[in-house]
């Protein structure tokens, strides 16, 4: 915690006290009905609220027991330290006096408490609470104070010139008594302080001793001052310090004080200073100019003297001074330094509003009191200083700060008022009455032509979507707030009324959370203008708005810059930053979603416990526009930071980096919170403000969970941390390498890995590592073909064969092994431990893929590399997904090297490929040759049969029946004599299942097996009965295995199977739309022969192209549905065939441009800025025909669309059909292939017997 403002101290004599209890310095003071207990300048140990009391009047702290007594006009509350709760309620006492005067409290011996009001009462605060002694007084006392030894009591009435001294007659509980005498005083007594006669006033002596102990470190000037102080200390005087408001200080020594023998007291001067400036108030109210001092010296403290200054204008200051500096006769600055300044409100904080830059804020309470605070940069860091107090009687609807808190605008019911807050008390300088349809929802600062404009325009929008614009003229910065009226007199006038024209169920309109400077009027009034407001509806529709004023016409134009359908019904809370990030909370107040308003994508979704209801959202941003969100709960605030997008391991886009809990400091719930521009967080709870530092600890559990490249545990600036989570990646980062591979930059990846290998040869921990590994930046975005050496022998001359110094130019397995050995030993500063492990995996995969580079195309290389990486991560991280993603499946699906991939995958599983392995690789989704598909499926069938020692035919039944090889399965059952189902199954399989009788028998067995939850075996009997549809349904619904359903349909009936097409249309595409999976959708469309749609779905969200019975879930709007690798696939497929070209031609240039720009933003959010530059620099758009084609159904002419005439386009359009065929059918399907079942005699050959 940077600082705490526990509340405004009450302007009473006995509302502040301090004591050294055990090894702790305790400070307690009263603020309203709250009792604050502090153990340091910025450490609030506990706050005890007394809701049954309007305000507390007095407090006393026992140095011996640590007990605290506080009272109002009716009840005394006594607290004692209790375990870690530090102040559990012990007991309460009722005051018997009926006077309304302020009670006085003082601790005596042990557990005795003196209560002074209309009478003096001595209370016993042990378990057997009782009143020991009481004495009725002729008039109420103002002060009643025990002496340190509890033998004497000094009491003073209001406006008394006499001090009454009570002497204790005895210390017994039953016969306690006091007699008294008077001490006269020349004027009214305002304060009383007892000298500790037991050990004298030791503050000065103790401080001098501490200074002497460290005298070797003092300067010559301080040594001279120390000699002077040592001489004074030898005389053992009492010190009296006198101050005035002009900065003068006199220190006097009093000798022989307390001497039993009456002597003449010697008074001598210790120091006289003229430059001690303390922050005394200049208030016009005499009572607020009163000041009370409490002094102490902590044992072991490096500073000599500590002073608590209680200003009656509502401040409590903790000052610290060294005696060598305080009493130094030479002129100097900073004789005393402020360790803390406690102030604040007396009632509950309702709202905290910051200025646009975050350098000032106003905290507002339930009783319409406002405190204006300003951020100041000091030597010790950022400080928050109370600048002004605003008090009004009307209810404040909305508030905004102008000119960094110098002016405040309040929106009341029917009136807008301008307040000047340039003095300690704000004064209203202008106002304007208004009439508006509906209740005002917001107060918005409108964009101005320049920052130096003398006018500021404000607007409000009502619940009826009507609004008013005002023009506010502020006084010049150098003009005093009390200046006479003139042309520069502050004023407020109404400019115009307006209607937004939005006919919708708008729930709320709010100003956007500012990030940076106030908005300026854009040169162009379009979607790129800076947002000023956000609205949300009961249907969850978010809209951002910008505005432009036309001063000549006295009108305003509003423009909706973005609209997002969140599908969140009746949102309870929403907030948007000026850089178009929105957070919205559901109706239960436990669900949070974060949206990017530019793309309309969901970036984060979180669910919290029912007891953790979200009640506040606050945005901040780093200087480079990285977003930070503070989510407020009743007793804590969670800070979320924007993260890099990660499409390869699907990491979170937002993550919690800090959790602030205030329950240990205050029982009150959080009223509001806001960010300062410096990154500090201000939280208001009850009547208190907490200022939290922007430094976060790298060893915090939340930070370590992020796997940051921080190899030392130390404090880190919040902005630096967020930049570290979002900034550009080094080119050797595994995510950057992965995206380069997807973008087809395999040669660049080779050079990066080789460059890293060279850079690490002479690298040691602590050295700097070039993020570009000596590569030129233009190599990442220029269309230059680099030659990659496959082997040294191919490219070297005979002379070069003898040159042993030549470096590897490709990533061989030997180089990969050497580099990974280095990575295991050296910590790379730009990578975390986890990222370094992923880099080693990537290097190994690149070497493996390079070995096969000449025998496969780029898509096969993409698949192989990520399949290999998936298998490596699966062995290292158990949480990695079971199956490879649809992205990798699509790459292999569009590869021409599928036979090599099948062989490599089979070798990876040692030639024993089971269905679980095939599903993991997605093999039966991407194999395009149906003959090879069936051959591989038969391999799966054999391996499923032989996977156990007993060789159970049940395991392979589904596969052989899908292949229509019932005879093979019958032969296998013939050898399964151990199986108790052998006889019945073998007998059943010998029948002809074309016969309806046996088909019905097979169906009965299938349904019986479903009832026993033997789903895979049940699907086998459905196939035996010839019911492929039922078998597919079982795979999808019961087994939840879409890949198995597709594989069975393809193997059984081929790729033109109506059942396969129905599965793709009714199950796969709706699921893709529901989840927003464009990879799955493009694969499904391609399988259906709709290649034009397969291209279009890469650009457009799936749910816009596919009608679904269900409403798409939030995942369909997730940023994960917009993988930047989609742009690579789109470019590859766009001009591949006439169908794809036809689909691409239906995409407008504007949509394609937005698609490219969106992917460039995604690359930037991933930390791959160089790839974003490459994309926008080298993208080629289709040439738009000047004249529309005469026939809309005619195929596009590639010669007119493609920029390069050499492009080869495959004609895959269906042959022309008659009008009747076009109307009623898709044409005749190709004839289905007829399969012949093998004979039983081929059984042994199939299994190698």
């Amino acid at each position: 915690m940077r600082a705490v403002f526990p509340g405004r101290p009450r302007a009473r004599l006995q509302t502040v006290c301090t004591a050294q209890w055990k090894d702790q310095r305790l400070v307690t003071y009263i603020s309203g009905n709250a009792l604050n207990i502090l153990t340091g300048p910025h450490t609030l140990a506990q706050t005890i609220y007394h809701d049954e009391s309007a305000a507390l009047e007095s407090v006393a702290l026992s140095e011996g027991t640590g007990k605290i007594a506080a009272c109002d006009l009716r009840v005394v509350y006594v607290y004692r330290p209790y375990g870690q709760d530090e102040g559990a309620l012990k007991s309460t006492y009722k005051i018997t006096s009926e006077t309304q005067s302020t009670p006085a409290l003082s601790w005596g011996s042990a557990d005795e408490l003196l209560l002074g009001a209309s009478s003096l009462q001595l209370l016993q605060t042990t378990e057997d609470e009782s009143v020991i002694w009481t004495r009725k007084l002729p008039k109420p006392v103002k002060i009643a104070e025990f002496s340190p030894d509890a033998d004497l009591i000094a009491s003073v009435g209001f406006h008394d010139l006499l001090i009454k001294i009570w002497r204790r007659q005895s210390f017994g509980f039953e016969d306690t008594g006091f007699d008294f005498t008077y001490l006269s005083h020349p004027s009214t007594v305002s304060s009383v302080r007892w000298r500790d006669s037991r050990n004298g006033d030791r503050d000065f002596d103790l401080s001098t001793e501490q200074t002497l102990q460290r005298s070797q470190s003092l300067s010559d000037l301080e040594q001279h001052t120390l000699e002077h102080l040592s001489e004074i200390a030898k005389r053992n005087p009492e010190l009296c310090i006198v101050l005035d408001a002009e900065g003068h200080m006199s220190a006097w020594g009093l000798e022989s004080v307390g001497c039993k023998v009456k002597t003449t007291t010697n008074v001598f001067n210790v120091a006289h200073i003229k430059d001690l400036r303390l922050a005394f108030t200049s208030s016009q109210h005499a009572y607020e100019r009163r000041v009370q001092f409490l002094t102490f010296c902590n044992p072991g403290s490096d500073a000599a003297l500590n002073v608590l200054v209680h200003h009656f204008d509502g401040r409590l200051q903790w000052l610290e001074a060294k005696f060598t500096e305080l009493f130094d006769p030479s002129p100097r600055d900073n004789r005393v330094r402020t360790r803390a300044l406690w102030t604040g409100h007396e009632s509950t904080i309702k709202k905290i509003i910051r200025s646009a830059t975050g350098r000032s804020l106003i905290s507002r309470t339930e009783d319409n009191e406002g405190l204006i605070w300003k951020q100041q940069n000091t030597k010790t860091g950022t400080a928050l200083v109370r600048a002004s107090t605003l008090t009004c009687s009307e209810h404040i609807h909305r508030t905004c700060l102008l000119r960094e808190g110098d002016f405040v605008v309040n929106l009341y019911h029917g009136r807008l008022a301008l307040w000047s807050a340039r003095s300690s008390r704000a004064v209203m300088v202008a106002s304007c009455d208004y009439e508006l349809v509906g209740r005002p929802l917001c107060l918005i600062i409108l964009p101005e032509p320049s920052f130096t404009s003398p006018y500021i325009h404000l607007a409000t929008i009502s619940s009826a979507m009507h609004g008013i614009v005002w023009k506010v003229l502020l006084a010049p910065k150098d003009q005093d707030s009390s200046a006479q009226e003139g042309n520069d007199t502050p004023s407020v006038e109404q400019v115009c009324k307006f209607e937004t024209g939005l006919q919708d169920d708008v729930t709320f309109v709010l100003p956007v959370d500012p990030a940076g400077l106030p908005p300026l009027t854009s040169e162009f009034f379009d979607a790129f203008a800076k947002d000023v407001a956000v609205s949300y509806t009961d249907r969850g529709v978010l809209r951002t708005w910008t505005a432009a004023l036309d001063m000549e016409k006295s009108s305003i134009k509003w423009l909706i810059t973005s609209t997002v359908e969140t599908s969140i019904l009746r949102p309870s809370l929403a907030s948007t930053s000026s850089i178009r990030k929105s957070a919205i909370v559901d109706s239960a107040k436990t669900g949070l979603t974060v949206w990017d308003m530019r793309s309309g994508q969901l970036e984060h979704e979180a669910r919290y416990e029912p007891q953790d209801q979200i009640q506040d959202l606050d945005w901040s941003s780093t200087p480079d526009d990285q977003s930070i969100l503070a989510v407020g709960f009743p007793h804590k605030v969670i800070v979320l930071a924007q993260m890099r997008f990660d499409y390869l391991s699907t990491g979170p886009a937002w993550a919690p980096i800090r959790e602030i809990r205030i329950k240990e400091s205050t029982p009150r719930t959080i009223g509001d919170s806001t960010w300062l521009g410096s990154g500090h967080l201000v939280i208001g709870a009850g009547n208190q403000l907490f200022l939290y530092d922007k430094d976060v600890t790298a060893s915090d559990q939340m930070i370590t969970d992020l796997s940051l490249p921080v190899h030392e545990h130390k404090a880190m600036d919040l902005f630096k941390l967020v930049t570290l989570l979002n900034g550009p990646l080094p080119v050797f980062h595994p995510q950057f390498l992965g995206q380069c591979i997807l973008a087809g930059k395999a040669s660049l990846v080779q050079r990066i890995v080789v460059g890293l290998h060279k850079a690490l040869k002479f690298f040691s921990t602590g050295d700097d590592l070039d993020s570009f590994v000596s590569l030129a930046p233009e190599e990442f975005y220029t269309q230059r073909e680099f030659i990659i050496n496959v082997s040294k022998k191919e490219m070297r001359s005979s002379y070069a064969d003898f040159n042993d110094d030549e470096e590897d130019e490709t990533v061989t397995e030997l180089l990969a092994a050497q580099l990974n050995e280095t990575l295991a030993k050296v910590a790379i500063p730009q990578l975390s431990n986890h990222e370094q492990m992923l880099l080693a995996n990537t290097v190994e995969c690149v070497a493996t893929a390079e070995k096969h580079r000449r025998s496969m195309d780029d898509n096969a290389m993409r698949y192989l590399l990520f399949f290999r990486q998936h298998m490596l991560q699966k062995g290292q991280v158990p949480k990695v997904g079971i199956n490879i993603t649809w992205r990798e499946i699509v790459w292999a699906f569009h590869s021409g090297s599928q036979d090599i991939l099948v062989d490599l995958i089979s070798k990876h599983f040692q030639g024993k490929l089971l269905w679980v392995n095939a599903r993991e690789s997605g093999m039966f989704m991407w194999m395009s040759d149906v003959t090879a598909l069936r051959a591989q499926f038969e391999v799966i069938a054999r391996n499923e049969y032989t996977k156990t020692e007993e060789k159970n035919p049940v395991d392979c039944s589904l596969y052989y029946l899908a292949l229509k090889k019932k005879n093979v399965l019958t032969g296998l059952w013939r050898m399964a004599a151990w199986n108790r189902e052998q006889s019945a199954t073998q007998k059943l399989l010998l029948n002809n299942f074309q016969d309806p009788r046996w088909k019905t028998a097979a169906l009965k067995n299938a349904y019986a097996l479903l009832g026993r939850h033997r789903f895979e075996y049940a699907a086998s009997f459905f196939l035996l009965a010839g019911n492929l549809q039922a078998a597919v349904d079982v795979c999808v619904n019961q087994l939840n295995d879409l890949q198995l359903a597709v594989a069975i349909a393809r193997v059984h009936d081929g790729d033109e199977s109506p059942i396969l097409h129905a599965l793709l249309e009714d199950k796969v595409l709706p699921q893709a739309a529901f989840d927003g999976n464009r990879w799955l959708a493009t694969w499904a469309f391609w399988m259906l022969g709709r290649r034009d749609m397969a291209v279009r779905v890469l650009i457009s969200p799936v749910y816009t192209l596919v009608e679904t019975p269900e409403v798409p879930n939030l995942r369909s709007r997730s940023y994960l549905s917009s993988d930047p690798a989609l742009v690579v696939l789109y470019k590859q497929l766009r001009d591949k065939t006439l169908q794809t070209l036809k689909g691409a031609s239906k995409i407008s240039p504007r949509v394609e441009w937005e698609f490219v720009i969106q992917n460039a933003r995604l690359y930037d959010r991933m930390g791959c800025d160089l790839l974003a530059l490459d994309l926008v620099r080298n993208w080629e758009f289709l040439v738009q025909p000047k004249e529309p084609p005469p026939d809309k159904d005619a195929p596009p002419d590639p010669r007119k669309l493609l920029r390069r005439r050499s492009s080869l386009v495959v004609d895959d359009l269906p042959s022309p059909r008659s009008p009747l065929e076009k109307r009623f059918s898709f044409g005749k399907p190709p004839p289905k292939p007829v399969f012949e079942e093998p004979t039983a005699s081929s059984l042994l050959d199939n299994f190698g017997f």
Side-chain angles (χ1 to χ4, degrees), residues 491-505:
S491 64
V492 180
E493 65 178 83
Q494 183 174 309
V495 175
C496 65
K497 291 187 176 183
F498 62 87
E499 296 182 21
T500 63
L502 184 65
Q503 302 296 325
D504 205 349
D505 57 336

Side-chain angles (χ1 to χ4, degrees), residues 868-911:
R868 176 69 179 155
Q869 194 171 39
H870 168 81
M871 298 309 296
L872 285 173
Q873 285 184 254
K874 184 183 174 184
Q876 296 165 345
V877 185
K879 293 187 292 184
V880 172
I882 298 173
N883 301 328
I884 205 163
T885 67
W886 280 98
R887 178 182 56 231
E888 280 67 58
I889 290 174
V890 170
W891 292 127
F893 182 65
H894 290 290
S895 169
S897 312
Q898 293 178 353
D899 51 343
I900 299 173
L901 290 179
V902 171
D903 183 54
L904 290 173
I905 291 170
S906 181
K907 287 180 180 178
H908 178 82
F909 293 106
Q910 294 82 41

Side-chain angles (χ1 to χ4, degrees), residues 737-771:
L737 293 176
Q739 291 301 324
C740 285
I741 293 164
L742 290 174
K745 297 181 178 294
S747 60
L748 180 62
V749 172
Q750 296 277 334
R751 296 199 301 281
I752 292 171
V753 175
V754 171
L756 179 63
H757 177 59
K758 293 177 183 178
L760 291 180
K761 277 189 175 180
F762 306 103
F763 179 83
S764 59
T765 303
D767 293 347
D768 292 330
L769 184 62
D770 181 15
S771 294

Side-chain angles (χ1 to χ4, degrees), residues 79 168 173 230 357 611 724 726 757 786 817 931 936 998 1036 1056 1071 1087 1233:
Y79 300 91
R168 188 192 291 264
F173 288 166
S230 299
T357 60
Q611 65 270 20
L724 200 62
N726 290 275
H757 177 59
F786 292 91
T931 304
Q936 193 61 38
W998 297 111
V1036 172
E1056 299 300 326
Q1071 186 63 41
M1087 288 289 296

Side-chain angles (χ1 to χ4, degrees), residues 863 902 905-906 913 918 921-927 933 936 1043:
Y863 174 86
V902 171
I905 291 170
S906 181
L913 197 66
S921 68
M923 177 185 296
F924 290 95
M925 302 299 101
W926 50 256
M927 289 181 69
L933 183 83
Q936 193 61 38
Q1043 288 199 35

Side-chain angles (χ1 to χ4, degrees), residues 176 672 800 920 943 1015 1046 1165 1183:
T176 298
D672 199 7
E920 187 172 6
N943 291 338
F1015 300 126
V1046 172
R1165 181 69 186 272
V1183 179

Side-chain angles (χ1 to χ4, degrees), residues 802-866:
F802 296 98
N803 186 3
D804 294 334
D805 296 332
E806 188 169 346
E807 300 281 355
D808 286 338
E809 295 299 331
T810 61
V811 183
T812 62
E813 290 184 331
L814 176 61
L815 183 145
Q818 292 173 349
L819 179 55
N820 286 350
E821 185 179 351
T822 305
L823 291 174
K825 298 176 181 177
V826 179
I828 297 180
Q830 293 99 321
L831 301 180
S832 66
N833 295 332
H834 177 67
E835 290 167 345
Q836 206 157 319
M837 181 187 72
L838 292 179
L839 175 60
N841 291 347
T842 304
V843 170
E844 182 180 339
C845 295
V846 169
T848 303
E850 175 62 21
K851 187 169 63 173
H852 302 282
R853 188 179 64 85
R854 292 236 164 179
S855 57
M856 60 177 66
D857 58 20
D858 287 343
N859 285 342
M861 288 282 288
R862 290 182 177 102
Y863 174 86
L864 179 62
L865 193 140
F866 286 103

